[in-house]
Amino acid sequence: MKLDVEVLRYLSKDDFRVLTAVEMGMRNHEIVPAELIDRIASLKHGGTYKVLKNLLKHKLVHHDSSKYDGFRLTYLGYDFLAIKTLVNRGVISSVGRKLGTGKESDIYEVASEDGTVLAMKLHRLGRVSFRAVKSKRDYLRHRSSFNWLYLSRLAALKEFAFMKALEEHGFPVPNAVDCNRHCVIMSLVQGYPLVQVKELQNPETIFETVLGVIVRLAEHGLIHCDFNEFNIMIDDDEKVTVIDFPQMVSVSHRNAQMYFDRDVECIFKFFQKRFNLSFQVSTDDNEGSDADTDETGWPSFSSISKSSGFLDKELAASGFSRKDQEDIEKFIEEDIDDTDSDREESEDKQFVESTEANVKGLSSLHLEEQEEQTSNSDEDGVEVKQRSCEAGQDNRPEIQDDSDKEEDNQSAIENDAELNKSLNKQRKRAVAAARGGRRSFASRNSYKDKGGKSSQNSRIQKQLCSW
């Protein structure tokens, strides 16, 4: 994105007031409604909509009406807010040319009021080349929602804190001047990236210096995680300066050894390929290798003493926690997962056992009632036969006995149907109670019997009436 600061001189106080209102609204809105912007800005005579139209023309805000009429802040508008704040503080007074573009930042040349040339780094997370930042970095920590502008602000704050602390401990890093939003002001390094350097007077000395920086960082409890030829600056006097710190992690991180070995391997490979230094580069994972590869010395992560300082504690680097890191990781990764899985399994088992017990109880109750009804019907049939024989009736009473038996069977069938309905209702209630009161609602036609027991019972009843 091109930063045209000429527009900055033509923006009024109302414009910055509306930009600030959009920024405040984006704390809990992805797209800020126009009415909310108007209430926050509180401009007279409805001037907010006119200002929004002007900001939209200069691409400082973006209009979105897909769900509702609203606006969101663009990176250019966020740049203007940060630059305006730094100008009001007296940190910078002018913005110059672009020095470089990275996958997650743009660097510009700026000047202060006394003419000192500084570097301004604008973090721009969310580019197509670096969209996986939310999974590769820990800026969000335990937050569920995120905003690219908010992530850029967190990255700038983290880099400024690391740069300030490393400078105080004597590391070769730029001088951190100030920070606002996603913008970091630092001293300008008069040098070139190591990737652009073709020849060195003392490549062995530079190699030992660079490798010593990695070891010193580990001794102070930090790992750079992106220590390569692109993030190492070297001047005409072959003085080394390290840049780019948002991705640094603690030595207590679960992947600390992997990051450390990767940084060391990048330096070994680059100096061997570019300056033809004679040493053997290990292409293995180097997991638990305590021995050095040759006389130059491949530093081992396990052999480094982490007693020089605790910058990871002071800066809360990624992977650091106040308790013992290994115990916390075991508790978070193993205990919680195991307890959750055990809890779910126990709940499932309890649910299954309760439902099975209810079903067994209901089925046994149904069988007992059915046996009682069948026994009662048989006794009634026997009594009817005895009465008919004593009366000395003909074949007609026997037909009457058969009809009485059929009526009894019919009543038993009807009682069975009613019992089945009651059992089904009780079974549904038991399942709903076991599931915590959740009921499954059936359709309107689910209770209509199409060729079932009730239709058969009605046909039998009609035949008996005709008899």
Side-chain angles (χ1 to χ4, degrees), residues 224-237:
H224 191 278
C225 296
D226 197 15
F227 204 93
N228 51 39
E229 61 273 16
F230 296 96
N231 294 327
I232 299 174
M233 304 290 293
I234 187 168
D235 57 4
D236 296 334
D237 298 332

Side-chain angles (χ1 to χ4, degrees), residues 39-195:
R39 289 199 301 269
I40 296 174
S42 300
L43 296 182
K44 296 180 180 180
H45 308 295
T48 304
Y49 298 95
K50 182 179 179 180
V51 173
L52 285 172
K53 185 177 180 181
N54 185 30
L55 297 176
L56 191 62
K57 181 179 68 174
H58 296 296
K59 298 181 180 180
L60 303 181
V61 295
H62 176 74
H63 179 251
D64 190 355
S65 59
S66 57
K67 296 181 179 179
Y68 53 85
D69 190 20
F71 297 85
R72 63 174 175 85
L73 203 62
T74 62
Y75 264 116
L76 188 59
Y78 208 45
D79 296 342
F80 278 18
L81 286 174
I83 292 172
K84 181 66 174 177
T85 304
L86 293 172
V87 169
N88 293 336
R89 292 179 184 176
V91 180
I92 62 175
S93 60
S94 61
V95 180
R97 61 188 178 92
K98 179 185 284 189
L99 297 176
T101 301
K103 62 182 180 294
E104 55 179 286
S105 62
D106 291 334
I107 302 174
Y108 290 87
E109 189 179 47
V110 295
S112 60
E113 294 179 352
D114 56 357
T116 305
V117 180
L118 302 172
M120 178 178 65
K121 184 174 182 179
L122 299 173
H123 289 261
R124 303 197 185 282
L125 272 65
R127 285 179 172 169
V128 178
S129 60
F130 202 58
R131 282 278 180 176
V133 64
K134 60 180 179 295
S135 61
K136 297 183 182 296
R137 303 285 173 83
D138 64 340
Y139 302 145
L140 287 176
R141 294 184 183 272
H142 303 292
R143 302 177 183 90
S144 58
S145 61
F146 70 94
N147 185 312
W148 289 119
L149 299 179
Y150 180 67
L151 286 179
S152 300
R153 175 178 171 271
L154 292 179
L157 289 173
K158 188 174 182 179
E159 183 173 19
F160 180 77
F162 278 116
M163 201 183 308
K164 200 76 173 175
L166 293 175
E167 180 189 358
E168 293 176 357
H169 287 77
F171 284 90
V173 297
N175 180 22
V177 179
D178 201 352
C179 176
N180 183 258
R181 292 179 174 87
H182 68 311
C183 176
V184 179
I185 304 297
M186 67 188 78
S187 62
L188 181 63
V189 179
Q190 300 295 335
Y192 311 94
L194 190 58
V195 68

